[in-house]
DNA sequence: CGCCTTGATGTGAACGTTCACAATCCTGGC
DNA sequence: GCCAGGATTGTGAACGTTCACATCAAGGCG
């Protein structure tokens, strides 16, 4: 690390004798070196068919020697697509967002696209609109992560005509293939998780909601539907934030309510906070209360107890989303590829189990009816 | 979400009647609308002093009306700095990297810079060098996150002359202010955490190392130094990966070794895995083994038990790093601002406590001298 | 009153690339 | 040996911006 090595000069913009950064080699420099016209060089770097093989070799050698790389700005100025995707998101640290970004980056890199990130953190439509406008570059494209209110507003604010795809919350009705939108079907998954908890013998399941761009998310709708189909009582869903702290605060309330024996949390961070609060209140998991999360973050498997959760492949969704965008840009068939949607999957671990009624009776404390 | 709203057309690149995207307004359009020359418009958007106030108003009105925004590509082509920073990193999901990226993004956004992300995932110098070359845009700048081998290779591969700053591992000796490098001094923090554990009465502290770009990281050196100064035995450090799984696997070995009563982990994810393994082996934390991590990730406070850890402000470091880069680019005084380094801080929670010798004697099993 | 300075504005050129079109070179058929 | 016609190569222009320089009006000053 501390070896001075070959790069011993301080990294300052001005570098050579003239005090100017040495201009990068251009197509003209290559042309001169190869003894051809600049247009021939252009043809070579664009794989135009009618270049004599010997000429091509000549040019390629010159390119190699001069370390030539085409100037992206010039291409874009000329009207070429910039092979750039800017990700619009309200957050970069929450698991779902971060994993989505990772998936997009992977796919974009594989396709030779540059990736930009622009965080939009306002809740005011006007400011969001302005931020979206700033994010639009000539020749560029957009992916909007619209898992929340701000994201949905950003999606709304994207003007027509610019290549775009979006990751959205599960919609109530399929918007149809002409909308460049992808999502994970978490309604089904929420229902499955709820049915699973009911099947363990719980009388009902309480739901902790993460913020949503809609009044009631499909995640919540799936939960409700499963309860109703089973004839179980439907408790009021509890509105929470995204963070473990939010789950912790909510969990303190749940701990005091002996009716609560099973909790479905809108994400794993909430579940983590809930488990902490329950544990601190002297309740055992899953002995007294079962806790199920959403996401399957990398840590969930190693919590105490390991968390039962619905795995959501946000990285895969990000890759799909980019694939959709790419198809749109390249317009192969004018029909979006309708990429496979990664299926959510319930991962059963140790934070869920049969109830021991009345709660608290089990191994922890004496019953109190 | 599903409201068709004002944007009812499918988002396809071709949009208006001609099938071409409508060209964005240029400086010439604005000039025509305002009845001045294009150069005057250029002067207005660049805050050139000698424009008559009335003229300026005229131009600004035209800009507003046409929704004009200067074409970045054209400016860059002309030689202007692109106000673009590309973050080179080997990872986007690990906490330290992700928090650093977040900090950089915040600072960059505040300064009106666009942010690019480029993941370099090879361990081969040649491939890393090629990736770095590809990441360099005329007029652009670079931030290298060099917390690991790949990052250090990338840093090495950045040619002189392009504006760059880097986040590095704590160096053994201060490289001096002319290196545009920032870091968190985790040597001191590691020593502090180690002394803290010794002060609780532990005979020694075991260290689980995350991968490093150097043979022995300063984090590890701080641990060793604290042990030596206290005259405590120095166990062989255990090389681990980054993930909870890696910590879990290592933790299984530690659980079997009755000598181990205090473990210092290179990051919180390792600590999490270790705690899981110890717990699974029937050991109590901190009763049998104390566990201390590094990072203070958002979940650490809510683990069972809450994790004692060294808080590292990667987001703050990212902001500092960008500030350094910006100073370099703007060359105010040719002296880097020597931004304040966020200080690591030991956060004592419940995963650490006095030992109960011999291990397992305390409340868990019978003593055996 | 005319010269010089200063402020305000306009014109030409250049950044690096690709498109449209023109020019040149072959190759083969007759 | 000549010419059609494809293959190959070259020239001019344009993308949107800013720098360098020219122009023009107005004002200060001797």
């Amino acid at each position: 690390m501390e070896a001075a090595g070959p790069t011993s000069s301080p990294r300052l913009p001005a570098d050579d004798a003239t005090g100017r950064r040495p201009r990068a080699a251009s197509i003209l420099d290559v042309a001169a070196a190869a003894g051809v016209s600049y247009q021939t060089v252009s043809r070579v770097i664009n794989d135009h068919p009618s270049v004599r093989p010997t000429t091509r070799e000549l040019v390629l050698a010159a390119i190699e020697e001069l370390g030539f790389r085409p100037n992206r700005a010039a291409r874009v100025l000329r009207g070429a697509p910039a092979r750039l995707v800017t990700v619009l998101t309200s957050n970069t640290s929450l698991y779902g967002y971060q994993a989505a970004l990772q998936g997009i980056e992977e796919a974009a890199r594989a396709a030779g696209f540059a990736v930009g990130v622009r965080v939009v953190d306002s809740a005011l439509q006007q400011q969001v609109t302005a931020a979206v406008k700033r994010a639009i570059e000539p020749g560029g494209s957009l992916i909007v992560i619209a898992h929340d209110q701000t994201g949905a507003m950003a999606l709304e604010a994207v003007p027509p005509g610019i290549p775009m795809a979006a990751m959205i919350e599960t919609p109530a009705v399929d918007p149809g293939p002409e909308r460049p939108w992808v999502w994970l079907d978490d309604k089904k998954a929420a229902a499955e998780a709820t049915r699973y908890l009911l099947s363990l013998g719980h009388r009902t399941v309480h739901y902790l909601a993460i913020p949503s761009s809609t009044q009631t998310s499909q995640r919540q709708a799936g939960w409700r539907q499963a309860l109703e189909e089973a004839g179980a009582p439907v408790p009021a869903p509890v509105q929470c934030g995204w963070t473990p702290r939010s789950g912790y605060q909510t969990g303190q309330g749940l701990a005091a309510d002996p009716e609560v024996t099973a909790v479905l949390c809108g994400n794993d961070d909430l579940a983590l906070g809930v488990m902490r609060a329950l544990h601190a209140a002297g309740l055992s998991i899953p002995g007294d209360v079962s806790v199920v999360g959403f996401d399957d973050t990398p840590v969930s498997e190693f919590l105490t107890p390991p968390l039962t959760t619905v795995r959501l492949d946000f990285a895969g969704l990000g890759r799909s989303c980019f694939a959709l965008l790419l198809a749109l840009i390249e317009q192969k068939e004018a029909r979006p590829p309708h990429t496979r949607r990664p299926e959510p999957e319930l991962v059963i671990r140790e934070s869920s189990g049969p109830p021991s009624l009345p709660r608290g009776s089990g191994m922890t404390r004496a019953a109190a009816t």
Side-chain angles (χ1 to χ4, degrees), chain A:
Chain A
M1 172 57 60
E2 77 270 23
T7 64
S8 59
S9 66
R11 293 279 170 27
L12 297 172
D15 201 67
D16 65 356
T18 72
R20 308 291 306 154
R21 276 165 72 178
R23 213 169 36 76
S26 84
I27 207 181
L28 283 152
D29 302 316
V30 174
V36 298
S37 81
Y38 56 86
Q39 179 62 296
T40 301
V41 177
S42 173
R43 277 190 264 260
V44 169
I45 61 184
N46 290 294
D47 285 324
H48 191 95
S50 64
V51 177
R52 197 179 349 212
T54 55
T55 313
R56 167 164 316 207
E57 286 309 316
L58 228 52
V59 172
L60 288 175
I63 286 174
E64 181 67 26
E65 182 189 334
L66 297 176
F68 165 82
R69 290 194 323 127
N71 182 311
R72 192 194 285 253
R75 282 183 158 171
V76 169
L77 184 56
R78 199 59 184 68
R83 296 187 82 74
L84 160 72
V85 57
T86 300
V87 180
L88 278 174
T89 179
S90 66
N91 190 291
T92 57
S93 55
L94 286 169
Y95 175 71
Y97 297 80
Q98 170 246 301
L101 180 58
Q102 182 183 356
I104 293 167
E105 193 280 335
E106 283 174 27
R109 174 153 40 101
F113 270 56
V115 179
V117 177
R118 185 164 301 240
V119 173
V120 183
D121 65 356
S122 171
L124 282 68
Q125 181 71 56
Q126 198 167 10
Q127 291 193 16
V128 172
T129 304
V132 171
K133 286 244 169 64
R134 277 196 299 273
I136 295 174
E137 287 288 323
S141 59
L142 240 43
I143 285 183
V144 183
I145 301 184
H147 285 151
D148 55 26
Q149 182 79 46
T150 298
M153 288 165 68
L155 181 53
E156 198 79 5
V158 177
I162 92 141
M164 181 210 64
M167 299 172 54
I168 63 169
E169 285 190 271
T170 312
V173 296
D174 191 316
E178 71 270 20
R179 298 277 186 179
W181 293 346
V182 300
W183 64 90
L184 296 169
D185 187 358
D186 55 5
K187 179 177 186 180
K188 212 177 94 189
E192 183 186 349
T194 306
R195 279 193 298 268
Y196 158 72
L197 284 167
L198 293 174
S199 77
L200 290 174
H202 294 274
R203 194 172 139 264
T204 188
V205 175
H206 288 252
Y207 180 69
L208 270 53
I210 52 175
S212 165
S213 68
T214 59
Q215 282 302 321
T216 52
S217 71
Q218 290 303 302
R219 201 172 289 190
Q220 181 172 322
W223 158 77
R224 179 182 300 273
Q225 182 181 324
L227 287 183
E228 286 171 350
E229 284 176 5
V234 181
V238 187
Q239 287 300 325
C240 300
W242 300 93
T243 61
R245 183 172 309 280
S246 171
Y248 180 75
Q249 288 161 350
T250 306
Q252 289 176 317
L254 298 178
D257 181 354
E259 292 291 313
V260 176
T261 68
V263 181
L264 179 60
C265 302
N267 73 23
D268 283 0
D269 280 347
L270 285 183
L272 175 69
V274 166
M275 291 206 296
R276 178 74 209 132
L278 295 177
H279 188 89
L283 297 172
S284 83
I285 302 165
D288 291 310
V289 181
S290 288
V291 177
V292 173
F294 259 88
D295 281 357
D296 195 23
T297 69
V299 308
S300 298
E301 182 181 352
F302 296 94
L303 297 178
T304 304
L307 182 66
T308 297
T309 186
V310 176
R311 179 174 297 157
L312 298 178
D313 182 8
F314 284 107
L317 186 64
R319 288 190 292 267
S320 293
C321 190
F322 180 82
L324 179 60
L325 177 68
L326 189 61
L328 227 55
I329 290 174
E330 303 198 330
Q331 285 283 334
K332 289 179 194 302
E333 301 286 320
R335 73 172 152 84
H338 204 66
T339 52
R340 275 187 56 76
R341 216 194 313 283
E343 279 294 320
E345 177 192 0
L346 180 64
V347 181
I348 296 173
R349 298 204 181 97
E350 297 167 31
S351 67
S352 54
S356 57
L357 282 174
R359 195 185 79 183
S361 62
M363 58 201 81
T364 317
R365 22 172 175 153
T369 320

